[in-house]
Amino acid sequence: MEHIRMPKVENVRLLDRFSSRRAVVGTLYLTATHVIFVENGSETRKETWVLHSQISSIEKQATTATGCPLLIRCKNFQVIQLVIPQERDCHDVYISLIRLARPVKYEELYCFSFNPKLDKEEREQGWKLVDLNEEYNRMGVPNNYWQISDVNRDYGVCDSYPTEVYVPKSATAHIIVGSSKFRSRRRFPALSYYCKGNNASICRSSQPLSGFSARCLEDEQMLQAIRKANPGSDFIYVVDTRPKLNAMANRAAGKGYENEDNYSNIKFQFIGIENIHVMRNSLQKMLEVCELKSPSMSDFLWGLENSGWLRHIKAIMDAGIFIAKAVAEEGVSVLVHCSDGWDRTAQVCSVASLLLDPYYRTMKGFMVLIEKDWVSFGHKFNHRYGNLDGDPKEISPVIDQFIECVWQLMEQFPCAFEFNERFLIHIQHHIYSCQFGNFLCNSQKERRELKIKERTYSLWAHLWKNRADYLNPLYRPDHSQTQGTLHPQIAPCNFLYKFWSGMYNRFEKGLHPRQSVTDYLMAVKEETQQLEEELEVLQERLANLQKSQSGNNKVKSKQQDQSKQFGLYTSNNSLANTPQEYSNDLKSFPSRSPSQGDEDSALILTQDNLKSSDPDLSANSDQESGVEDLSCRSPSGGGCLPSEDSGKDSDEAVFVAG
Amino acid sequence: MEFAELIKTPRADNVVLHRPFHLAVEGTLCLTGHHLIFSSRRQDNAEELWLLHSNIDSIEKRFVGSLGTIVIKCKDLRIIQLDIPGMEECLNIASSIEVLSTLDSVTLMYPFFYRPMFEVLEDGWSSFLLEQEFELLSSVTNEWRLSCVNKEFSVCPSYPPVVIVPKSIDDEALRKVALFRHGGRFPVLSYYHKKNGMAMLRSSQPLTGTNGRRCKEDEKLVNSTLRSGRRGFVIDTRPLAVAQQARAKGGGFEQEVHYPQWRRIHKCIERFNILQESFIKLVEACNDQSHNMDRWLSKLEASNWLTHIKELLTAACLAAQCIDREGASVLVHGSEGTDSTLQVTSLAQIILDPRCRTIRGFEGLVVREWLQAGHPFQQRCAQSAYSNSKQKWEAPVFLLFLECVWQIHRQFPCSFEFNEQFLIMLFEHAYASQFGTFLGNNENERAKLKLPQKTMSLWSWVNRPEELSRFQNPLYEANSLVIWPSVAPQSLQLWEGVFLRWNRPSRFLEEAEEERINIIKYNKELQAKVNALRRQLAEMETDEEVLEE
């Protein structure tokens, strides 16, 4: 709390990003974990909650006659514009936030104070939900070809790897250690995915320290061992996910890539995915486009194209598709690496796994996938997502890109995934929120040292508990799209990659479809389930009644049944009404505010931690309506039409300007 | 004319048909007066492809040795390739298709020969009469009347015989106003907003010319739609500069001095060749087979198609906003009042009027605001995106309208009774059809061609229960509210159902649609079962009580 210079400022204006005319006045609070804006006056006291860890930048702009503007950009793509009356207050808020948004030690992060009121046992259960040993068993290892190795049990060989890694049976500890010495950061080849059907596998590593001519016998043996673990195939692919030029440049630094002449039976392949710096800049450019005040169609499309973002997404997908094809269709094992083997390699291995194995397209399986390819193999969450104050050049939207790849696949295969878009958005949110311990630190080693499992809660348990919110109504385990390998179209496929406004313009509700097909179908399915239950009860009653009419003993409690019928009728009615009202009820996504949440009155500064466990709760709760600039968005959501006279004071200039 | 004379080779065997995402099929090709028919003889995957000659937009032929290849590009944007053995056969077939697909006489078109295989339950030609519309209107207001001043199409050749006009304006005045408006298109009622009694009128530009001509009757007519003390809005679909230039050619716009109660707003909705070029560029981009992600977005941008969509939707929202929010009457026009004007007035109704979002209501809207209002379908839809001829009159005006409806549909997926297929079906039939509905350029021409007597109406077919079921949106729940779409670039998408229809894999999307339908169907079945059981139980329990007593 010592960093909070100014815990409360009154008469702050929260500007609408699209129209300065629709600012609201309220009070700004700074707490140890959140920035909270509470609107004045209105009965609902609309609240906007922002976690400090979500803040990516704070900009203090030149003071104007109305006050001092403060622009807060968030990692979940929310942008908040405040105007604080006094320059001095603004400065204090600014200085406080600068510090609060950049914690220097892990203990300052929200997950260490977040308390969802679960007891110790529940917490432990939560951490057990995702179990990687179980996952490797599911894949079918250990078996005749693969075994678990304890060579890294004290992180002695590679400190960014997990203690338990699966390696080919023929790879002895000597080979592993030898190979690790020939790989960047000693990240030796280890199993990522094993295909039970044909013994083909996906392995991952970092680049070899080959320089211009160096060789390593053990490393060559290691690759040979991977090939032998797949007796059906006489070669393996080595996929370097970097652009060839980058890989060649690395040779000068004593790193590089495998020379086909030195390794027997490998086929070497470059797939050019750009590095974290290019990706960071690309996202930056795309977000600038998203932030344009009222862009023309050309501004938008040009900006999107110039950002290169979708091109990068496609590159990652192409790599994943290549690997999935090698494994599923050719039955060939693949070794994937980039430089350090923790960014592009993680992206590509997880996309390939997702394409290959329907299990990863279920909710539980997806959690397992992230745990396997990202968390356990030392993806540097802390550095990439800037949880602690650090080098800004380390920050890059690596997992964001993976999450987007999943969304792009969901668009192409609407029935293939058990979860919906909201699930992805909430995971993205929590990667940055630091509300749960899952994504803390840069490696398993660091997390163990911090005793994450004893001191924080698991996101997976939280999501699992609320899984009803994350279901894709179109998913059926027996549907053809949920079986086997997914084959995305390869060409021509440019137009298949689309801008994801649900993510990058997530908080601009006005831009999204006003009625959610997903929510609608979920409500229908829920009602269907109730009907099924009632049908059963009725059939039973009928049978009893028929019996009783012969036997003349009446068993029924009429009262009870009527109450049940009543319940069903009301739900029928709400469906029969306008979908608008209906979708308002269900439209907690993406804009439910704390005040509309379950615990209506729990208050603001009490840090009721439950409140912000749902990322949507930190959203701006503004249920706006009324006439807007037609030049950029619509007059209002159909769901919340203002009363007749609310339109009357609208400014004519609004639409004449267009 | 005998079609047989035009068909030298009516049949060719061992023809191979290539289509994207389908395996090549070998079969027999037959030409008839109106169709190209391909049927594969294989037992396992017997299939037939029937293509109307009028659906063919362009045809290319090439030869490798004696194997000829014809590439056929259709108005519905599909491209097929036929490999025909034998140079002579191939040449004959190609030249027959060329002639048969470009017949210039309307009466030779297929609708005049088509005999329906279904029983006509309701004659679509009389399904949407303006008289019925007026009856509905009369139940809420008596400020309007039906005028038959155009009964002989003499006042305005592109108007229908009856129109709805303010009650206080007599036919004599209408004749005078017609002389003051381009093509005689005097202001008529397009839409009446029951909620607040505001009206949307449409017309063509006033013929003010350079010396500022005025017409008292015209002023009186439009002013009669205003509430006392209130203002109205003229939405001119042209930019101010264009409207000003129009004065040199005798056209013009309503000047403030003569229309002090009206506020004029200029929008910029493109017309004619600009739209046609945009259409051609977009389709080119969509058919581009290169694997380069970069060029796709810039090609999409360069086509300007989505810019047109955005402009059009914005103008329609503006008109709707003036009526619903400002409580003002609106007059919409551009130059002729047959293209952009109709786009704006019909889209505004989609936004404002829940009835237009039903199947029946939408059909009525198309009839009123497009067919009866004199949108020159025959000129505009003569060619589609593959035509090489640079004729002046083609423009995808109606397609743009349908796409805007689709954009709104996408944003309010539960508020429309019809589905995307319904819109696609209308697009197809506007360009090539067995029905007479979209033939001719206005009611006058349709009457002369005796279309209602000689051809079948599209509506007679669509409104049969079997057909309707294909076009119903399973998610539909009547929504009585005004629906305001977002017009931000992030909210607008390419209409893949039309533009990528033939070059994207559609199986997974179709399966998803099927799944949606099944979820809702199952729910309804259960509901019916539960209700029936409840009733049965209630009856039995009453019986039992009676017995007990």
Side-chain angles (χ1 to χ4, degrees):
Chain A
M1 295 299 263
E2 74 268 26
H3 307 304
I4 301 173
R5 292 187 173 201
M6 194 75 199
K8 175 179 174 186
V9 190
E10 288 180 336
N11 294 318
V12 173
R13 285 190 304 139
L14 176 70
L15 301 187
D16 186 276
R17 192 157 135 189
F18 288 97
S19 158
S20 55
R21 274 184 301 275
R22 278 183 314 116
V24 289
V25 180
T27 305
L28 184 74
Y29 299 91
L30 297 191
T31 75
T33 53
H34 288 85
V35 184
I36 305 159
F37 178 85
V38 183
E39 207 175 298
N40 285 351
S42 75
E43 280 172 26
T44 47
R45 308 241 297 163
K46 288 174 191 162
E47 298 167 11
T48 305
W49 289 56
V50 177
L51 262 171
H52 296 325
S53 49
Q54 286 288 0
I55 296 175
S56 71
S57 77
I58 312 146
E59 205 179 300
K60 201 172 134 232
Q61 294 164 326
T63 310
T64 65
T66 52
C68 188
L70 195 65
L71 185 68
I72 303 175
R73 288 197 179 84
C74 299
K75 295 167 182 172
N76 60 3
F77 313 114
Q78 185 170 21
V79 180
I80 292 173
Q81 276 181 286
L82 299 168
V83 180
I84 297 173
Q86 298 296 321
E87 206 276 334
R88 200 190 164 73
D89 293 345
C90 184
H91 185 71
D92 282 346
V93 170
Y94 174 73
I95 295 293
S96 308
L97 283 180
I98 287 274
R99 176 62 186 82
L100 290 167
R102 288 172 199 161
V104 291
K105 45 182 207 291
Y106 285 118
E107 281 73 10
E108 290 178 48
L109 293 174
Y110 186 35
C111 57
F112 290 101
S113 57
F114 172 66
N115 178 7
K117 300 185 180 96
L118 298 174
D119 59 33
K120 185 163 166 275
E121 201 172 313
E122 285 173 297
R123 160 156 56 194
E124 281 168 7
Q125 280 308 114
W127 280 110
K128 283 180 190 148
L129 184 69
V130 171
D131 179 343
L132 285 186
N133 270 326
E134 213 172 84
E135 166 57 10
Y136 285 104
N137 291 338
R138 187 197 67 85
M139 279 186 215
V141 291
N143 60 13
N144 286 338
Y145 305 109
W146 294 89
Q147 64 182 5
I148 192 163
S149 164
D150 63 351
V151 68
N152 199 38
R153 63 184 169 278
D154 305 316
Y155 305 104
V157 175
C158 173
D159 61 2
S160 60
Y161 262 20
T163 49
E164 295 178 338
V165 282
Y166 285 81
V167 292
K169 236 180 186 166
S170 58
T172 60
H174 172 76
I175 291 177
I176 298 171
V177 173
S179 166
S180 78
K181 288 180 180 156
F182 190 64
R183 295 272 166 184
S184 278
R185 306 195 190 255
R186 311 190 73 185
R187 293 169 66 90
F188 57 88
L191 183 72
S192 164
Y193 180 72
Y194 173 76
C195 183
K196 231 186 305 193
N198 60 7
N199 297 319
S201 64
I202 303 173
C203 294
R204 56 183 292 170
S205 70
S206 59
Q207 64 187 337
L209 304 176
S210 52
F212 290 100
S213 59
R215 297 181 60 163
C216 168
L217 182 63
E218 290 86 353
D219 194 61
E220 290 163 24
Q221 287 171 334
M222 185 74 192
L223 268 60
Q224 189 77 330
I226 293 172
R227 186 188 63 73
K228 281 192 209 139
N230 179 10
S233 163
D234 48 15
F235 71 97
I236 66 169
Y237 283 111
V238 175
V239 172
D240 188 329
T241 58
R242 297 169 293 182
K244 189 172 181 184
L245 215 59
N246 300 19
M248 284 168 72
N250 263 300
R251 292 200 296 191
K255 300 166 189 173
Y257 52 92
E258 290 81 356
N259 183 341
E260 278 188 356
D261 299 337
N262 299 341
Y263 292 81
S264 49
N265 307 318
I266 68 164
K267 282 194 184 168
F268 187 85
Q269 176 88 34
F270 281 114
I271 296 185
I273 302 173
E274 298 291 347
N275 64 27
I276 57 168
H277 312 293
V278 175
M279 299 307 193
R280 179 178 56 245
N281 292 334
S282 173
L283 177 65
Q284 187 52 40
K285 279 190 191 162
M286 185 174 72
L287 291 180
E288 279 163 22
V289 177
C290 297
E291 267 190 58
L292 289 174
K293 273 232 160 68
S294 45
S296 70
M297 208 69 220
S298 296
D299 294 339
F300 178 75
L301 291 174
W302 266 117
L304 188 59
E305 162 128 4
N306 286 337
S307 77
W309 182 258
L310 289 174
R311 192 179 71 227
H312 299 314
I313 295 293
K314 182 173 181 290
I316 297 164
M317 285 293 304
D318 284 347
I321 293 168
F322 175 87
I323 294 165
K325 194 164 163 264
V327 169
E329 291 173 25
E330 300 177 51
V332 176
S333 294
V334 185
L335 171 66
V336 186
H337 69 72
C338 45
S339 298
D340 290 317
W342 52 37
D343 292 316
R344 286 168 275 201
T345 299
Q347 289 176 328
V348 167
C349 286
S350 48
V351 167
S353 296
L354 197 74
L355 292 172
L356 284 166
D357 195 331
Y359 175 64
Y360 299 126
R361 292 172 233 141
T362 65
M363 212 176 283
K364 180 82 179 296
F366 192 68
M367 298 173 182
V368 168
L369 183 65
I370 290 182
E371 202 67 37
K372 169 172 79 79
D373 281 334
W374 297 81
V375 177
S376 84
F377 273 106
H379 176 64
K380 300 201 293 175
F381 282 94
N382 175 38
H383 286 164
R384 293 294 172 262
Y385 313 116
N387 298 340
L388 294 187
D389 194 22
D391 181 0
K393 289 213 154 49
E394 282 280 318
I395 292 175
S396 187
V398 182
I399 200 167
D400 301 61
Q401 289 184 314
F402 165 64
I403 290 172
E404 175 164 339
C405 285
V406 181
W407 178 79
Q408 300 280 2
L409 282 171
M410 281 163 64
E411 287 286 292
Q412 295 176 37
F413 301 92
C415 307
F417 292 82
E418 189 190 16
F419 46 86
N420 58 30
E421 181 186 29
R422 193 176 325 183
F423 186 62
L424 298 178
I425 291 174
H426 285 194
I427 290 175
Q428 192 272 353
H429 174 94
H430 284 299
I431 281 164
Y432 291 92
S433 76
C434 300
Q435 186 174 341
F436 298 92
N438 304 60
F439 308 122
L440 242 48
C441 306
N442 292 321
S443 66
Q444 192 185 70
K445 182 168 178 260
E446 285 181 38
R447 276 187 294 277
R448 290 213 176 148
E449 283 163 5
L450 258 185
K451 299 201 189 322
I452 290 296
K453 292 193 181 179
E454 287 96 276
R455 300 166 70 192
T456 72
Y457 293 86
S458 168
L459 169 66
W460 306 133
H462 171 73
L463 294 177
W464 189 248
K465 199 175 84 199
N466 299 309
R467 61 187 173 279
D469 293 345
Y470 302 123
L471 285 172
N472 170 14
L474 301 179
Y475 178 83
R476 261 195 293 123
D478 56 342
H479 194 281
S480 64
Q481 275 181 46
T482 52
Q483 318 300 316
T485 308
L486 289 185
H487 300 281
Q489 193 189 349
I490 299 179
C493 59
N494 312 329
F495 40 71
L496 290 179
Y497 294 95
K498 290 181 263 190
F499 172 71
W500 188 6
S501 66
M503 177 63 92
Y504 305 104
N505 281 115
R506 182 181 155 198
F507 290 89
E508 275 69 60
K509 287 155 286 155
L511 303 183
H512 305 302
R514 306 309 170 85
Q515 294 171 326
S516 157
V517 174
T518 300
D519 287 344
Y520 182 90
L521 290 177
M522 283 315 294
V524 170
K525 281 187 104 167
E526 204 181 307
E527 196 203 39
T528 300
Q529 207 181 342
Q530 287 172 16
L531 285 168
E532 275 172 344
E533 284 161 18
E534 198 195 351
L535 192 67
E536 214 169 287
V537 172
L538 289 174
Q539 278 165 341
E540 201 179 307
R541 253 178 66 189
L542 187 68
N544 284 340
L545 208 58
Q546 280 163 344
K547 231 187 282 168
S548 78
Q549 276 187 343
S550 45
N552 201 15
N553 62 356
K554 194 171 176 182
V555 230
K556 280 284 82 113
S557 156
K558 235 177 172 180
Q559 206 65 40
Q560 193 193 334
D561 287 307
Q562 257 158 10
S563 66
K564 190 159 172 65
Q565 282 183 7
F566 181 70
L568 196 64
Y569 274 130
T570 36
S571 78
N572 271 344
N573 278 342
S574 63
L575 265 179
N577 265 331
T578 69
Q580 250 82 7
E581 286 173 23
Y582 147 80
S583 54
N584 251 359
D585 291 343
L586 291 170
K587 204 174 55 188
S588 51
F589 173 70
S591 64
R592 184 163 40 145
S593 75
S595 56
Q596 290 171 318
D598 311 330
E599 295 155 276
D600 208 292
S601 53
L603 206 71
I604 305 154
L605 293 179
T606 57
Q607 262 207 57
D608 186 337
N609 294 318
L610 263 180
K611 282 187 160 186
S612 43
S613 63
D614 181 344
D616 291 336
L617 298 188
S618 57
N620 187 338
S621 63
D622 181 16
Q623 292 280 340
E624 70 214 9
S625 55
V627 181
E628 293 181 326
D629 269 37
L630 273 173
S631 52
C632 62
R633 52 201 279 212
S634 78
S636 92
C640 37
L641 281 174
S643 63
E644 195 71 332
D645 34 58
S646 71
K648 288 190 180 131
D649 51 27
S650 73
D651 188 350
E652 283 180 5
V654 169
F655 43 80
V656 179
Chain B
M1 176 165 72
E2 284 294 325
F3 290 120
E5 292 167 17
L6 302 173
I7 307 172
K8 286 195 195 107
T9 304
R11 177 192 160 119
D13 289 321
N14 305 321
V15 173
V16 180
L17 167 70
H18 302 268
R19 290 162 297 178
F21 302 106
H22 291 268
L23 294 174
V25 214
E26 195 186 292
T28 301
L29 182 71
C30 294
L31 288 189
T32 73
H34 293 103
H35 284 97
L36 176 156
I37 304 158
F38 176 88
S39 55
S40 90
R41 289 170 302 174
R42 254 192 242 144
Q43 297 265 304
D44 50 336
N45 63 345
E47 61 166 304
E48 277 189 2
L49 173 78
W50 287 63
L51 204 60
L52 266 178
H53 292 315
S54 56
N55 188 9
I56 294 172
D57 206 26
S58 85
I59 165 167
E60 291 158 21
K61 51 182 185 287
R62 55 171 187 262
F63 292 92
V64 179
S66 69
L67 180 74
T69 291
I70 301 179
V71 176
I72 293 174
K73 299 183 174 178
C74 301
K75 290 175 187 168
D76 61 16
L77 308 182
R78 140 176 51 179
I79 299 179
I80 62 169
Q81 183 190 319
L82 295 167
D83 296 340
I84 301 168
M87 190 182 281
E88 197 190 336
E89 285 84 352
C90 185
L91 278 173
N92 284 345
I93 287 169
S95 69
S96 299
I97 294 174
E98 258 164 58
V99 178
L100 290 168
S101 64
T102 52
L103 296 174
D104 51 5
S105 165
V106 182
T107 51
L108 291 177
M109 304 291 265
Y110 187 49
F112 285 91
F113 299 81
Y114 171 69
R115 291 294 161 261
M117 302 292 283
F118 58 86
E119 187 195 350
V120 177
L121 302 171
E122 176 195 350
D123 182 6
W125 286 112
S126 48
S127 289
F128 304 98
L129 299 176
L130 200 64
E131 285 82 354
Q132 295 162 353
E133 196 65 22
F134 181 72
E135 220 164 278
L136 281 176
L137 180 68
S138 307
S139 65
V140 287
T141 170
N142 57 4
E143 292 163 355
W144 303 86
R145 71 182 183 91
L146 265 187
S147 165
C148 298
V149 68
N150 198 40
K151 159 167 102 230
E152 311 291 336
F153 303 105
S154 53
V155 176
C156 171
S158 63
Y159 266 2
V162 283
V163 289
I164 302 175
V165 295
K167 197 169 209 169
S168 57
I169 306 299
D170 61 24
D171 283 354
E172 205 37 53
L174 291 177
R175 283 195 187 88
K176 285 187 184 147
V177 178
L179 294 174
F180 181 65
R181 292 275 174 178
H182 190 122
R185 294 175 69 91
F186 53 88
V188 295
L189 182 73
S190 160
Y191 171 67
Y192 180 84
H193 199 44
K194 284 193 207 102
K195 196 166 130 195
N196 61 9
M198 292 303 131
M200 179 160 60
L201 307 172
R202 56 175 158 75
S203 69
S204 58
Q205 64 179 343
L207 301 174
T208 54
T210 38
N211 46 13
R213 251 181 84 205
R214 63 188 287 196
C215 169
K216 283 275 168 54
E217 287 80 6
D218 189 78
E219 292 158 25
K220 192 175 163 219
L221 192 164
V222 296
N223 286 340
S224 71
T225 66
L226 298 175
R227 296 268 183 284
S228 63
R230 301 296 293 272
R231 298 210 303 183
F233 290 89
V234 175
I235 296 178
D236 192 324
T237 61
R238 306 161 294 179
L240 180 60
V242 175
Q244 278 167 339
Q245 283 159 18
R247 288 192 298 195
K249 291 182 194 157
F253 51 85
E254 293 80 359
Q255 278 167 316
E256 288 82 353
V257 273
H258 301 143
Y259 298 84
Q261 288 166 278
W262 291 80
R263 170 148 181 197
R264 214 175 57 244
I265 303 169
H266 290 275
K267 301 303 287 183
C268 175
I269 299 178
E270 295 293 353
R271 295 150 11 107
F272 302 132
N273 56 330
I274 292 182
L275 295 184
Q276 186 68 12
E277 273 164 32
S278 172
F279 185 33
I280 291 170
K281 275 190 196 160
L282 175 69
V283 171
E284 256 172 33
C286 292
N287 287 333
D288 180 11
Q289 299 291 311
S290 77
H291 303 194
N292 191 340
M293 186 73 214
D294 279 2
R295 301 271 66 85
W296 160 245
L297 283 172
S298 50
K299 278 183 178 165
L300 179 62
E301 191 275 328
S303 78
N304 268 326
W305 183 263
L306 286 170
T307 300
H308 301 315
I309 295 288
K310 182 165 152 53
E311 291 298 327
L312 187 49
L313 270 174
T314 307
C317 287
L318 170 67
Q321 193 178 354
C322 290
I323 292 168
D324 188 66
R325 296 304 174 82
E326 299 294 307
S329 283
V330 170
L331 167 65
V332 184
H333 69 72
S335 303
E336 292 88 356
T338 54
D339 294 283
S340 57
T341 304
L342 306 181
Q343 289 175 322
V344 172
T345 57
S346 52
L347 283 171
Q349 291 178 60
I350 294 283
I351 294 167
L352 292 169
D353 187 359
R355 199 167 58 112
C356 294
R357 297 173 224 141
T358 64
I359 290 180
R360 193 93 191 169
F362 189 76
E363 291 169 357
L365 182 76
V366 169
V367 171
R368 277 197 322 276
E369 291 298 292
W370 291 87
L371 292 162
Q372 293 174 351
H375 174 66
F377 275 99
Q378 194 161 315
Q379 289 179 349
R380 297 291 179 263
C381 301
Q383 301 264 241
S384 173
Y386 298 121
S387 77
N388 305 317
S389 65
K390 287 244 189 270
Q391 276 174 315
K392 194 173 158 192
W393 301 114
E394 283 97 23
V397 177
F398 187 59
L399 173 60
L400 270 164
F401 158 70
L402 292 175
E403 175 164 344
C404 286
V405 176
W406 176 81
Q407 299 280 0
I408 304 174
H409 194 299
R410 211 186 65 80
Q411 296 185 28
F412 294 89
C414 306
S415 297
F416 289 81
E417 193 190 3
F418 49 86
N419 60 15
E420 179 182 7
Q421 294 311 314
F422 184 68
L423 298 173
I424 295 174
M425 178 274 295
L426 288 175
F427 158 64
E428 289 175 341
H429 282 278
Y431 280 85
S433 178
Q434 66 268 47
F435 303 106
T437 299
F438 290 107
L439 292 182
N441 289 307
N442 50 51
E443 293 294 88
N444 188 4
E445 289 185 21
R446 285 181 201 108
K448 280 184 189 145
L449 289 166
K450 296 196 165 54
L451 290 179
Q453 294 82 37
K454 293 188 168 169
T455 73
M456 179 62 58
S457 162
L458 172 66
W459 316 121
S460 305
W461 170 71
V462 172
N463 287 331
R464 290 157 44 78
E466 302 88 307
E467 302 303 330
L468 269 185
S469 66
R470 286 175 27 222
F471 300 123
Q472 265 152 357
N473 173 12
L475 307 176
Y476 177 62
E477 297 273 359
N479 172 0
S480 61
L481 298 173
V482 176
I483 54 175
W484 300 103
S486 161
V487 297
Q490 289 97 321
S491 308
L492 303 178
Q493 288 192 357
L494 178 72
W495 191 7
E496 297 183 12
V498 164
F499 294 104
L500 303 178
R501 181 179 176 190
W502 309 103
N503 39 12
R504 68 167 178 181
S506 55
R507 197 185 103 211
F508 305 118
L509 304 176
E510 282 161 14
E511 284 173 354
E513 181 60 18
E514 217 171 278
E515 202 62 29
R516 278 179 213 116
I517 292 170
N518 287 339
I519 288 171
I520 286 161
K521 205 167 115 193
Y522 179 55
N523 176 277
K524 291 198 169 135
E525 281 168 12
L526 271 181
Q527 250 168 28
K529 265 191 209 161
V530 165
N531 286 338
L533 262 182
R534 273 191 202 138
R535 239 173 287 135
Q536 194 185 346
L537 274 166
E539 278 165 22
M540 286 177 71
E541 278 168 357
T542 345
D543 291 350
E544 198 166 352
E545 274 159 27
V546 171
L547 277 176
E548 276 174 11
E549 278 164 24

